[in-house]
Short mmCIF file of all heavy atoms in Angstrom, two decimals:
data_model
loop_
_atom_site.label_atom_id
_atom_site.label_comp_id
_atom_site.label_asym_id
_atom_site.label_seq_id
_atom_site.Cartn_x
_atom_site.Cartn_y
_atom_site.Cartn_z
N ASP A 218 13.66 7.25 1.44
CA ASP A 218 13.02 8.54 1.84
C ASP A 218 12.76 8.59 3.36
O ASP A 218 12.87 9.63 3.96
CB ASP A 218 11.69 8.70 1.05
CG ASP A 218 11.07 10.06 1.30
OD1 ASP A 218 11.86 11.03 1.49
OD2 ASP A 218 9.83 10.15 1.30
N HIS A 276 -5.08 -6.98 -7.58
CA HIS A 276 -4.57 -5.64 -7.25
C HIS A 276 -3.04 -5.56 -7.62
O HIS A 276 -2.60 -4.56 -8.16
CB HIS A 276 -4.73 -5.37 -5.73
CG HIS A 276 -6.16 -4.96 -5.43
ND1 HIS A 276 -7.11 -5.86 -5.16
CD2 HIS A 276 -6.73 -3.72 -5.37
CE1 HIS A 276 -8.24 -5.21 -4.88
NE2 HIS A 276 -8.02 -3.90 -5.00
N PHE A 300 -2.26 3.37 -23.40
CA PHE A 300 -3.11 2.24 -23.68
C PHE A 300 -2.42 1.21 -24.58
O PHE A 300 -2.47 0.01 -24.32
CB PHE A 300 -4.41 2.71 -24.36
CG PHE A 300 -5.32 1.59 -24.70
CD1 PHE A 300 -6.11 0.99 -23.74
CD2 PHE A 300 -5.40 1.10 -25.99
CE1 PHE A 300 -6.99 -0.05 -24.04
CE2 PHE A 300 -6.23 0.00 -26.31
CZ PHE A 300 -7.05 -0.55 -25.33
N GLN A 366 9.63 2.54 10.60
CA GLN A 366 8.66 3.10 9.65
C GLN A 366 8.90 2.61 8.21
O GLN A 366 8.05 2.22 7.47
CB GLN A 366 8.70 4.64 9.70
CG GLN A 366 8.06 5.22 10.96
CD GLN A 366 8.46 6.65 11.18
OE1 GLN A 366 9.31 7.19 10.53
NE2 GLN A 366 7.88 7.26 12.16
N LEU A 479 -14.52 -21.77 -8.98
CA LEU A 479 -15.65 -22.27 -9.86
C LEU A 479 -15.59 -23.73 -10.11
O LEU A 479 -16.56 -24.28 -10.76
CB LEU A 479 -15.60 -21.51 -11.15
CG LEU A 479 -15.70 -19.98 -11.05
CD1 LEU A 479 -15.40 -19.31 -12.42
CD2 LEU A 479 -17.07 -19.52 -10.59
N LYS A 481 -13.82 -25.41 -12.29
CA LYS A 481 -13.89 -25.66 -13.76
C LYS A 481 -12.54 -25.40 -14.37
O LYS A 481 -12.05 -24.31 -14.21
CB LYS A 481 -15.00 -24.77 -14.29
CG LYS A 481 -15.05 -24.74 -15.81
CD LYS A 481 -15.73 -25.99 -16.42
CE LYS A 481 -15.64 -25.88 -17.90
NZ LYS A 481 -15.68 -27.23 -18.52
N SER A 483 -10.37 -24.49 -17.38
CA SER A 483 -10.42 -23.93 -18.74
C SER A 483 -9.49 -22.74 -18.85
O SER A 483 -9.46 -21.91 -18.01
CB SER A 483 -11.84 -23.46 -19.10
OG SER A 483 -11.83 -22.63 -20.20
N LEU A 485 -9.52 -20.63 -21.45
CA LEU A 485 -10.10 -19.61 -22.34
C LEU A 485 -10.40 -18.32 -21.56
O LEU A 485 -10.41 -17.24 -22.11
CB LEU A 485 -11.38 -20.18 -22.95
CG LEU A 485 -11.79 -19.57 -24.30
CD1 LEU A 485 -10.69 -19.66 -25.33
CD2 LEU A 485 -13.04 -20.25 -24.81
N GLN A 486 -10.70 -18.50 -20.26
CA GLN A 486 -10.99 -17.30 -19.41
C GLN A 486 -9.79 -16.36 -19.25
O GLN A 486 -9.98 -15.24 -18.79
CB GLN A 486 -11.51 -17.71 -18.03
CG GLN A 486 -12.98 -17.99 -17.97
CD GLN A 486 -13.29 -19.33 -18.52
OE1 GLN A 486 -12.67 -20.30 -18.20
NE2 GLN A 486 -14.30 -19.41 -19.41
N VAL A 488 -8.17 -14.88 -21.46
CA VAL A 488 -8.22 -13.70 -22.38
C VAL A 488 -9.03 -12.53 -21.78
O VAL A 488 -8.44 -11.46 -21.64
CB VAL A 488 -8.80 -14.15 -23.77
CG1 VAL A 488 -8.84 -12.95 -24.72
CG2 VAL A 488 -7.93 -15.25 -24.36
N PRO A 489 -10.29 -12.77 -21.40
CA PRO A 489 -10.99 -11.63 -20.75
C PRO A 489 -10.34 -11.15 -19.48
O PRO A 489 -10.35 -9.97 -19.18
CB PRO A 489 -12.41 -12.17 -20.54
CG PRO A 489 -12.34 -13.62 -20.76
CD PRO A 489 -11.20 -13.90 -21.55
N LEU A 493 -9.13 -7.50 -18.80
CA LEU A 493 -9.73 -6.77 -17.60
C LEU A 493 -8.63 -6.16 -16.73
O LEU A 493 -8.74 -4.99 -16.28
CB LEU A 493 -10.58 -7.73 -16.80
CG LEU A 493 -11.37 -7.19 -15.59
CD1 LEU A 493 -12.44 -6.22 -16.12
CD2 LEU A 493 -12.02 -8.30 -14.84
N ALA A 500 -7.77 2.34 -15.64
CA ALA A 500 -8.88 3.00 -15.02
C ALA A 500 -8.76 3.28 -13.53
O ALA A 500 -9.39 4.20 -13.01
CB ALA A 500 -10.17 2.14 -15.27
N LEU A 501 -7.90 2.52 -12.84
CA LEU A 501 -7.84 2.70 -11.39
C LEU A 501 -6.91 3.83 -10.92
O LEU A 501 -7.08 4.34 -9.84
CB LEU A 501 -7.29 1.38 -10.72
CG LEU A 501 -8.25 0.22 -10.59
CD1 LEU A 501 -7.55 -1.00 -10.05
CD2 LEU A 501 -9.46 0.56 -9.65
N LYS A 503 -5.18 7.66 -11.68
CA LYS A 503 -5.26 8.90 -12.47
C LYS A 503 -4.00 9.18 -13.25
O LYS A 503 -4.01 9.56 -14.40
CB LYS A 503 -5.55 10.10 -11.53
CG LYS A 503 -6.95 10.16 -11.03
CD LYS A 503 -7.04 11.35 -10.04
CE LYS A 503 -8.11 11.03 -9.03
NZ LYS A 503 -8.01 11.79 -7.76
N HIS A 507 -0.56 9.02 -8.55
CA HIS A 507 -1.68 8.30 -7.93
C HIS A 507 -1.28 6.84 -7.78
O HIS A 507 -1.55 6.19 -6.73
CB HIS A 507 -2.92 8.46 -8.83
CG HIS A 507 -4.21 8.08 -8.16
ND1 HIS A 507 -5.23 7.49 -8.79
CD2 HIS A 507 -4.63 8.29 -6.86
CE1 HIS A 507 -6.26 7.29 -7.93
NE2 HIS A 507 -5.88 7.78 -6.77
N PHE A 514 1.79 3.76 -0.16
CA PHE A 514 1.07 4.01 1.12
C PHE A 514 -0.16 3.09 1.25
O PHE A 514 -0.38 2.54 2.36
CB PHE A 514 0.68 5.46 1.18
CG PHE A 514 1.90 6.38 1.32
CD1 PHE A 514 2.38 7.09 0.24
CD2 PHE A 514 2.61 6.39 2.52
CE1 PHE A 514 3.48 7.87 0.35
CE2 PHE A 514 3.75 7.20 2.64
CZ PHE A 514 4.21 7.91 1.53
N THR A 515 -0.98 3.01 0.24
CA THR A 515 -2.20 2.17 0.37
C THR A 515 -1.81 0.69 0.48
O THR A 515 -2.34 -0.01 1.36
CB THR A 515 -3.11 2.38 -0.83
OG1 THR A 515 -3.27 3.77 -1.05
CG2 THR A 515 -4.47 1.74 -0.62
N THR A 518 -0.49 -1.12 3.92
CA THR A 518 -1.42 -1.68 4.91
C THR A 518 -2.36 -2.74 4.31
O THR A 518 -2.51 -3.77 4.88
CB THR A 518 -2.27 -0.56 5.52
OG1 THR A 518 -1.33 0.41 6.03
CG2 THR A 518 -3.15 -1.03 6.62
N GLU B 53 -10.25 2.51 -27.83
CA GLU B 53 -9.78 1.51 -26.85
C GLU B 53 -10.90 0.51 -26.56
O GLU B 53 -10.66 -0.70 -26.49
CB GLU B 53 -9.40 2.22 -25.53
CG GLU B 53 -8.12 3.08 -25.63
CD GLU B 53 -8.44 4.53 -25.67
OE1 GLU B 53 -9.38 4.91 -26.46
OE2 GLU B 53 -7.69 5.31 -25.04
N ASN B 68 -12.61 -19.72 -30.97
CA ASN B 68 -12.82 -20.89 -30.11
C ASN B 68 -14.32 -21.33 -30.11
O ASN B 68 -14.81 -21.85 -29.15
CB ASN B 68 -12.38 -20.53 -28.66
CG ASN B 68 -10.92 -20.31 -28.58
OD1 ASN B 68 -10.13 -21.24 -28.56
ND2 ASN B 68 -10.50 -19.09 -28.56
N ASP B 75 -19.04 -27.16 -24.82
CA ASP B 75 -19.02 -27.12 -23.37
C ASP B 75 -19.92 -25.98 -22.88
O ASP B 75 -19.57 -24.78 -23.01
CB ASP B 75 -17.58 -26.95 -22.88
CG ASP B 75 -17.45 -27.19 -21.37
OD1 ASP B 75 -18.44 -27.03 -20.68
OD2 ASP B 75 -16.35 -27.51 -20.98
N LYS B 77 -20.89 -25.08 -19.75
CA LYS B 77 -20.41 -24.33 -18.64
C LYS B 77 -19.37 -23.34 -19.03
O LYS B 77 -19.34 -22.19 -18.58
CB LYS B 77 -19.92 -25.31 -17.53
CG LYS B 77 -19.74 -24.61 -16.21
CD LYS B 77 -19.37 -25.57 -15.09
CE LYS B 77 -19.10 -24.81 -13.82
NZ LYS B 77 -18.58 -25.66 -12.74
N GLU B 78 -18.44 -23.83 -19.88
CA GLU B 78 -17.33 -22.99 -20.36
C GLU B 78 -17.84 -21.75 -21.12
O GLU B 78 -17.37 -20.67 -20.98
CB GLU B 78 -16.38 -23.81 -21.17
CG GLU B 78 -15.18 -23.04 -21.62
CD GLU B 78 -13.96 -23.82 -21.98
OE1 GLU B 78 -14.07 -25.06 -21.90
OE2 GLU B 78 -12.95 -23.23 -22.35
N PHE B 82 -17.23 -17.99 -20.05
CA PHE B 82 -16.53 -17.11 -20.99
C PHE B 82 -17.36 -15.87 -21.27
O PHE B 82 -16.85 -14.76 -21.27
CB PHE B 82 -16.20 -17.88 -22.29
CG PHE B 82 -15.44 -17.04 -23.29
CD1 PHE B 82 -14.15 -16.65 -23.10
CD2 PHE B 82 -16.09 -16.60 -24.46
CE1 PHE B 82 -13.46 -15.87 -24.02
CE2 PHE B 82 -15.43 -15.83 -25.39
CZ PHE B 82 -14.11 -15.46 -25.19
N PHE B 85 -17.37 -13.47 -18.27
CA PHE B 85 -16.13 -12.69 -18.14
C PHE B 85 -16.02 -11.62 -19.28
O PHE B 85 -15.51 -10.55 -19.02
CB PHE B 85 -14.95 -13.63 -18.11
CG PHE B 85 -14.76 -14.29 -16.71
CD1 PHE B 85 -14.86 -15.66 -16.67
CD2 PHE B 85 -14.54 -13.53 -15.64
CE1 PHE B 85 -14.74 -16.28 -15.44
CE2 PHE B 85 -14.41 -14.14 -14.37
CZ PHE B 85 -14.50 -15.48 -14.30
N THR B 89 -15.65 -7.68 -18.71
CA THR B 89 -14.54 -6.98 -19.31
C THR B 89 -14.99 -5.82 -20.25
O THR B 89 -14.52 -4.69 -20.18
CB THR B 89 -13.60 -7.90 -20.08
OG1 THR B 89 -13.30 -8.97 -19.22
CG2 THR B 89 -12.33 -7.26 -20.53
N SER B 92 -16.43 -3.09 -18.17
CA SER B 92 -15.38 -2.34 -17.48
C SER B 92 -14.55 -1.45 -18.43
O SER B 92 -14.06 -0.40 -18.04
CB SER B 92 -14.38 -3.31 -16.85
OG SER B 92 -15.05 -4.20 -16.04
N MET B 102 -13.70 4.75 -11.60
CA MET B 102 -12.84 3.80 -10.87
C MET B 102 -11.83 4.51 -9.95
O MET B 102 -11.34 3.86 -9.02
CB MET B 102 -12.09 2.91 -11.87
CG MET B 102 -12.99 1.85 -12.54
SD MET B 102 -14.00 0.90 -11.44
CE MET B 102 -12.84 -0.11 -10.64
N PHE B 103 -11.57 5.79 -10.21
CA PHE B 103 -10.63 6.50 -9.34
C PHE B 103 -11.19 6.54 -7.91
O PHE B 103 -10.44 6.51 -6.92
CB PHE B 103 -10.41 7.92 -9.77
CG PHE B 103 -9.73 8.11 -11.10
CD1 PHE B 103 -9.84 9.28 -11.78
CD2 PHE B 103 -8.98 7.08 -11.62
CE1 PHE B 103 -9.17 9.46 -12.99
CE2 PHE B 103 -8.36 7.19 -12.83
CZ PHE B 103 -8.44 8.41 -13.51
N TYR B 105 -12.79 4.23 -6.34
CA TYR B 105 -12.46 2.99 -5.67
C TYR B 105 -11.04 3.08 -5.08
O TYR B 105 -10.82 2.78 -3.87
CB TYR B 105 -12.58 1.80 -6.58
CG TYR B 105 -12.02 0.53 -6.04
CD1 TYR B 105 -12.69 -0.14 -5.00
CD2 TYR B 105 -10.82 -0.01 -6.52
CE1 TYR B 105 -12.17 -1.32 -4.49
CE2 TYR B 105 -10.33 -1.21 -5.97
CZ TYR B 105 -11.00 -1.81 -5.01
OH TYR B 105 -10.48 -2.99 -4.47
N THR B 106 -10.11 3.56 -5.89
CA THR B 106 -8.70 3.71 -5.44
C THR B 106 -8.63 4.75 -4.32
O THR B 106 -7.87 4.57 -3.36
CB THR B 106 -7.78 4.09 -6.62
OG1 THR B 106 -8.26 3.52 -7.78
CG2 THR B 106 -6.35 3.74 -6.36
N ASP B 107 -9.38 5.83 -4.53
CA ASP B 107 -9.37 6.86 -3.45
C ASP B 107 -9.94 6.34 -2.13
O ASP B 107 -9.45 6.66 -1.08
CB ASP B 107 -10.17 8.09 -3.93
CG ASP B 107 -9.44 8.89 -4.99
OD1 ASP B 107 -8.18 8.73 -5.06
OD2 ASP B 107 -10.06 9.63 -5.78
N SER B 110 -7.27 4.35 -0.63
CA SER B 110 -6.23 5.26 -0.07
C SER B 110 -6.70 5.95 1.19
O SER B 110 -5.92 6.08 2.13
CB SER B 110 -5.94 6.34 -1.13
OG SER B 110 -5.33 5.74 -2.22
N PHE B 113 -6.87 2.65 3.88
CA PHE B 113 -5.62 2.00 4.28
C PHE B 113 -4.37 2.96 4.19
O PHE B 113 -3.47 2.80 5.01
CB PHE B 113 -5.35 0.77 3.34
CG PHE B 113 -6.46 -0.27 3.50
CD1 PHE B 113 -7.44 -0.35 2.49
CD2 PHE B 113 -6.51 -1.08 4.57
CE1 PHE B 113 -8.43 -1.33 2.60
CE2 PHE B 113 -7.50 -2.03 4.71
CZ PHE B 113 -8.48 -2.15 3.73
N THR B 117 -1.40 3.76 6.99
CA THR B 117 0.07 3.79 6.70
C THR B 117 0.69 5.10 7.09
O THR B 117 1.79 5.16 7.71
CB THR B 117 0.35 3.50 5.21
OG1 THR B 117 -0.37 2.36 4.84
CG2 THR B 117 1.81 3.30 4.94
N VAL B 121 3.76 5.68 9.62
CA VAL B 121 5.09 6.19 9.27
C VAL B 121 5.24 7.68 9.62
O VAL B 121 6.34 8.27 9.40
CB VAL B 121 5.40 6.03 7.73
CG1 VAL B 121 5.38 4.58 7.34
CG2 VAL B 121 4.48 6.87 6.86
N LYS B 123 3.66 10.46 8.50
CA LYS B 123 3.71 11.46 7.41
C LYS B 123 2.51 12.39 7.54
O LYS B 123 1.44 11.98 7.88
CB LYS B 123 3.73 10.76 6.09
CG LYS B 123 5.13 10.24 5.72
CD LYS B 123 5.54 10.74 4.40
CE LYS B 123 7.02 10.49 4.18
NZ LYS B 123 7.56 11.05 2.98
#
Side-chain angles (χ1 to χ4, degrees):
Chain A
D218 186 33
H276 282 87
F300 179 79
Q366 288 165 351
L479 302 170
K481 169 79 185 154
S483 163
L485 206 55
Q486 274 79 47
V488 179
L493 185 66
L501 283 175
K503 284 176 211 162
H507 197 216
F514 294 104
T515 312
T518 306
Chain B
E53 289 104 317
N68 294 283
D75 193 335
K77 195 176 176 185
E78 184 158 359
F82 180 72
F85 284 117
T89 309
S92 306
M102 289 309 290
F103 294 162
Y105 170 70
T106 326
D107 287 339
S110 291
F113 299 103
T117 310
V121 301
K123 281 236 167 185

